[in-house]
Each structure stands twice: as structure tokens, then as C-alpha cells.
Amino acid sequence: MSSSEETPRIPFNRAAVTGREMEYMRAALARGHISGDGDFSRRCHEFLERELGVRKALLTTSGTHALEMAALLLEIGPGDEVIVPSFTFVSTANAFVLRGARPVFADIRPDTLNIDERSLEGLVTGATRAVVPVHYGGVGCEMDLIMEIASRRGLAVVEDNAHGLFGRYRGRYLGSFGSLAAQSFHETKNFTCGEGGALLINDPALVERAEIIREKGTDRSRFFRGQVDKYTWVDIGSSYLPSDMLAAYLWAQFESAALVQERRRRIWKRYYDELQDWAAGRGVRLPVIPGHCEQPFHLFYLLMPDEKERDGFIAHMKSRGILTVFHYLPLHLAPMGRRFGGRPGQCPVSEDVSRRLVRLPLFYDLSDDEQTAVIEAVIGYPD
Ligand SMILES: *Cc1c(COP(=O)(O)O)cnc(C)c1O
């Protein structure tokens, strides 16, 4: 076996474990409540509501499911159009496509890689119902203009905040702008319970129906609060609530939020400081964080000069036992995106960035020595 096929010495990601996860899962077991909305779920909901200042937070089984709930709550259906960036994870679009809507792909800004707010106005038609800004890397989209256009054109805003928990735009938490926002607690995100997510609800008119849709279309949440004496089928719905075992795991992570974020901040900053000279000399661009945005240090990327160099860089790192990865393949060029009229040249910045971007390992327990090895390998490129 050649060295490049061995298990990498430094993985791209290791899921964060902050210490009390097993203890809290055992506590959930001991209480005998491991279905959804137990004590740990309640703690997670209150934490998110208090910290972010959102009206209501509901844990979901994934970030994808939080987006699906948003599409249900907004009653998106056939004939509707939803504007999404092409440079994002499939679920941003799929959640609305599942309801029969047509995704309309917007390009991204070359600096933050966020949806290009200046392109929005030109994409709105009489059928447009919603816009889904994705805060890439947790760096805020230009929410001032996005909210202004949405309110003037009567569109709902659903923030895909899968990367952006604790990020801020002009001092205000991401996830608190749109009528709805989706968080993800997948193991690649800053805080995780393996698979999980949350729907944040800022529009008070959507709170009650969100609880019903999440509980199989029943008013069970009202029943548990003693507001009705039996619960029954009142609306459409599905099962979007995670087990309290997973909420227990997540609660342990939330309790250590400051520690996790401080560690990630230090790792991010060290990459930025120590790679600057190398990047400038090689024509490599490092992440751009506008002054009015506070980021949650979700990812660190390099924009290489071209695709050949990007692929060469990944191979170079791999030969040193370090796994680096790229994302996203533009949605408008994917087989599914083409079915909605996607064609080459439609989102030129997304197409270009997708070929040149590479992400470095950035996770909670990446050690100083491991990071030194990553930095030395990067600076050693090309050999
Ligand atoms: C991770 C992610 C999602 C989906 O989250 P899951 O919890 O994996 O379903 C959605 N959008 C973006 C931008 C993501 O990075």
C-alpha cells in the first residue's frame, strides 16, 4: 500500500466531545424519558432562545428537516419559486423542491462566498415566495439589503444557518433575521449530536403550527402544557423531534459552548496569521471577514489560483497524511439542478470558486502539534 492510501494522520474532521456527553445521556436513560421533548430538549430550546434572542427554538432530527419544516410552514407548493444560492449543500434547495417548488439559483459574492444580494432583485418573479440566504462559514450575508428586498417584494426569508450558530451581522445573531432559520448539529458542525438540527422561529404567527407539524400534525405540545385535555390530529405533519438522548449529548456541548468557540477561534486565527505570507506569494486567497460580521469559526478555506493547483494541493497534503477536502459542486450544474434549467455560465462565481476552494482541518480537538504539521505541509506546497 502506498503512503497516500494509508489512513490520514490528521483527519479532516473529528466530532467534538467536550466531556459530559455520556453522563447526560445516562441521566436521560435513568429518568426513563428518551423520546423527544424531555428535560434535555427543553434545556437546549431555552438555551438557544435565550442566547440568540429568538422567539422559539425547536430541536429537529437534522438541519435538513428544519429546512423541510420551514417549507411546510410557509406552505410552499407547486408553481412557487424559491431563490437559493447555487454554492450550498443540497438540502438548502431540496427542502423546497420536495414541496413541488422550483429552485432559482443565485450566484455568490466573490469575497464572502455568500449569496450576491445585488442579484436578487433580478431573480424575483411573480411566483417567488422565499429567499434562502446561506451564511457561508457563518459569515453573515448582507441582511440589510436582503431583508429590505424581501419585505418590499413580499418574500419570506429562511436563513440556512447550518454554519453560523453564534455568528453575528451588525451585532445581531444570525438566525434571528428571517421568519425562520435552520441550524444543523451534524458531526461536521461546531456543535453536534451526530445527526440533529433546530428550527428557529422569529415570526410569532408560525410558532404554534411549527409545534404541530413537528409532532405528526397533532396538538400534543399543547396537551403536555395542559392547554388541552387530549391531543388529536389537527394538521399535516411528520416526526421531526429527536430523542432526548441526543438532546442530552447536545446539551453537554452547549454547556461548553464558550470553550469550543474559543478553541476554534484560536485555530482559525493561527491559520490566518501563519499562512498569510505564503498565500500572498502563491496567489492564494484566504477567507474575507467583513468588519460588520462576527464569525463563529466554522471553516477555514484556501482559494487556490486554479483547479489544477487545488487538486495538486490536495494530493500534496494527502501524501503528508493530512486530509483536506473541497465543496460545493454548484447546484445549478448538478443533474438535478439542470432539470430546473441550470446551465454552465449561469452562476460564474460559484462555478469558479467550486473549482478552486479547499478546506483545511479545523475541529475542536485539533492539537497544536497537529496544526503545526498542517501549516508546515501547506507552506511546503509546492514541493
Ligand atoms: C450541514 C448543512 C445542512 C444540512 O444539515 P444536516 O443536519 O446535515 O441535515 C444544510 N445546509 C448547509 C449549508 C449545511 O452545511
Side-chain angles (χ1 to χ4, degrees):
M1 199 155 102
S2 81
S3 69
S4 65
E5 282 165 332
E6 280 165 26
T7 310
R9 198 155 44 89
I10 301 176
F12 173 66
N13 183 58
R14 270 197 300 263
V17 181
T18 57
R20 306 190 77 172
E21 285 85 351
M22 289 307 284
E23 178 188 333
Y24 290 165
M25 284 174 80
R26 263 187 238 107
L29 270 174
R31 260 186 218 130
H33 187 126
I34 55 170
S35 59
D37 282 348
D39 189 49
F40 286 108
S41 300
R42 189 181 46 73
R43 289 192 214 186
C44 290
H45 293 161
E46 285 171 5
F47 173 83
L48 290 170
E49 287 160 11
R50 189 179 60 240
E51 292 293 314
L52 306 178
V54 297
R55 173 69 182 243
K56 186 83 191 163
L58 293 171
L59 291 187
T60 56
T61 30
S62 66
T64 300
H65 281 163
L67 289 164
E68 288 181 20
M69 280 187 66
L72 284 165
L73 279 164
L74 296 174
E75 304 190 294
I76 302 290
D80 291 340
E81 293 179 359
V82 176
I83 301 173
V84 301
S86 175
F87 189 71
T88 182
F89 188 63
V90 288
S91 297
T92 315
N94 235 351
F96 300 93
V97 170
L98 265 173
R99 311 307 323 147
R102 198 172 89 83
V104 173
F105 300 108
D107 206 356
I108 51 171
R109 296 170 56 109
D111 54 359
T112 56
L113 314 188
N114 278 332
I115 193 166
D116 186 346
E117 69 284 354
R118 290 156 303 186
S119 74
L120 284 184
E121 199 89 56
L123 297 173
V124 177
T125 71
T128 312
R129 293 283 319 282
V131 55
V132 192
V134 177
H135 304 298
Y136 181 73
V139 178
C141 295
E142 282 307 321
M143 295 312 288
D144 283 348
L145 190 58
I146 293 171
M147 296 308 288
E148 190 272 309
I149 294 169
S151 104
R152 187 158 39 77
R153 306 295 299 257
L155 314 177
V157 174
V158 178
E159 298 174 73
D160 182 336
N161 198 31
H163 301 181
L165 185 58
F166 304 131
R168 296 180 199 235
Y169 174 82
R170 299 198 193 284
R172 187 167 148 192
Y173 278 117
L174 303 179
S176 69
F177 288 86
S179 44
L180 298 161
Q183 301 296 150
S184 169
F185 304 119
H186 183 262
E187 78 172 19
T188 52
K189 304 305 196 300
N190 291 22
F191 300 92
T192 182
C193 56
E195 300 277 358
L199 181 68
L200 308 181
I201 306 155
N202 297 304
D203 179 351
L206 298 176
V207 170
E208 188 166 313
R209 190 153 185 254
E211 291 180 334
I212 290 168
I213 285 174
R214 180 167 164 272
E215 268 282 23
K216 301 93 182 166
T218 73
D219 54 356
R220 191 170 177 170
S221 301
R222 264 182 277 173
F223 171 72
F224 281 135
R225 285 196 296 264
Q227 293 166 335
V228 289
D229 58 6
K230 57 182 181 314
Y231 74 89
T232 185
W233 184 21
V234 294
D235 203 336
I236 58 166
S238 188
S239 185
Y240 291 119
L241 68 172
S243 159
D244 215 49
M245 297 262 276
L246 290 178
Y249 195 101
L250 188 61
W251 176 246
Q253 305 232 321
F254 283 170
E255 270 194 338
S256 304
L259 214 68
V260 170
Q261 290 304 89
E262 174 55 15
R263 180 65 195 148
R264 297 187 75 106
R265 186 188 72 77
R266 291 179 58 152
I267 296 170
W268 196 98
K269 184 136 193 325
R270 185 171 169 213
Y271 275 143
Y272 193 81
D273 292 345
E274 296 188 20
L275 293 178
Q276 246 177 42
D277 291 347
W278 168 82
R282 301 279 325 155
V284 173
R285 173 162 98 52
L286 300 183
V288 174
I289 317 295
H292 57 287
C293 294
E294 282 167 55
Q295 59 143 337
F297 310 99
H298 175 58
L299 53 79
F300 194 95
Y301 68 80
L302 307 172
L303 260 193
M304 303 299 288
D306 57 39
E307 186 171 18
K308 196 163 150 282
E309 287 226 43
R310 192 270 307 270
D311 296 347
F313 177 85
I314 291 174
H316 162 89
M317 297 298 282
K318 199 176 171 201
S319 75
R320 279 154 183 75
I322 299 163
L323 202 61
T324 57
V325 305
F326 63 85
H327 72 175
Y328 295 106
L329 299 175
L331 293 183
H332 72 285
L333 296 182
M336 191 66 185
R338 283 179 193 253
R339 282 207 240 159
F340 293 105
R343 52 187 162 67
Q346 186 183 339
C347 300
V349 183
S350 304
E351 292 170 34
D352 173 52
V353 163
S354 165
R355 288 190 281 259
R356 296 195 288 124
L357 184 139
V358 57
R359 296 169 62 186
L360 301 182
L362 167 53
F363 47 86
Y364 173 63
D365 70 346
L366 181 74
S367 70
D368 290 346
D369 286 350
E370 285 175 319
Q371 192 177 14
T372 301
V374 176
I375 290 169
E376 281 173 5
V378 171
I379 288 172
Y381 175 82
D383 304 84

